[in-house]
Amino acid sequence: MIKTVRLEGTTYHDLPWKFEAGTQAIAEVIGLGAAVDYLSELGMDAVRSHERELTEYAYEALSEIEGLTVYGPPPSRRAGVISFSVEGIHPHDLATIATATRSACAPATTAPCRS
């Protein structure tokens, strides 16, 4: 990247930033601003409540699967992430299956996937 440009010359940024090219991430910043506005309008208490409901549902559903081990605290003490393993399935293979299954679901709904 360039620090300054003048008629008399250009000043380049220090390493390693001088090799970064292009415009700053303007679209991403605008998108982040829109996301913050949306979440602020919903209210973070409502967002957390919805996250808690989804986490409880997922935790209960995963706990019913034979050979699946859920790691970490109970739903009341966790965020919206659930770590688990399935006996006999390598984690990379499981991630591939989960990604393919999720892409078959309607991404704009919070209803459970029934594929």
Side-chain angles (χ1 to χ4, degrees):
M1 297 295 281
I2 297 172
K3 282 185 178 181
T4 60
V5 176
R6 296 187 189 92
L7 290 175
E8 307 84 45
T10 302
T11 305
Y12 293 94
H13 206 303
D14 300 326
L15 290 173
W17 302 281
K18 84 185 243 180
F19 297 115
E20 293 182 12
T23 306
Q24 298 296 320
I26 296 168
E28 290 83 351
V29 171
I30 292 169
L32 176 62
V36 169
D37 291 345
Y38 175 74
L39 292 174
S40 296
E41 187 176 318
L42 287 176
M44 292 311 292
D45 289 338
V47 171
R48 176 62 181 133
S49 175
H50 186 68
E51 177 187 39
R52 188 172 289 125
E53 288 175 26
L54 291 174
T55 302
E56 288 172 2
Y57 172 80
Y59 188 90
E60 289 171 15
L62 289 170
S63 296
E64 294 175 4
I65 299 173
E66 189 176 326
L68 187 142
T69 303
V70 176
Y71 300 101
S76 62
R77 293 186 40 231
R78 67 169 63 232
V81 175
I82 299 177
S83 296
F84 63 91
S85 64
V86 178
E87 186 179 324
I89 301 179
H90 190 279
H92 294 161
D93 295 335
L94 185 60
T96 302
I97 294 166
T99 301
T101 302
R102 181 64 200 141
S103 66
C105 299
T109 69
T110 57
C113 178
R114 304 287 185 211
S115 57

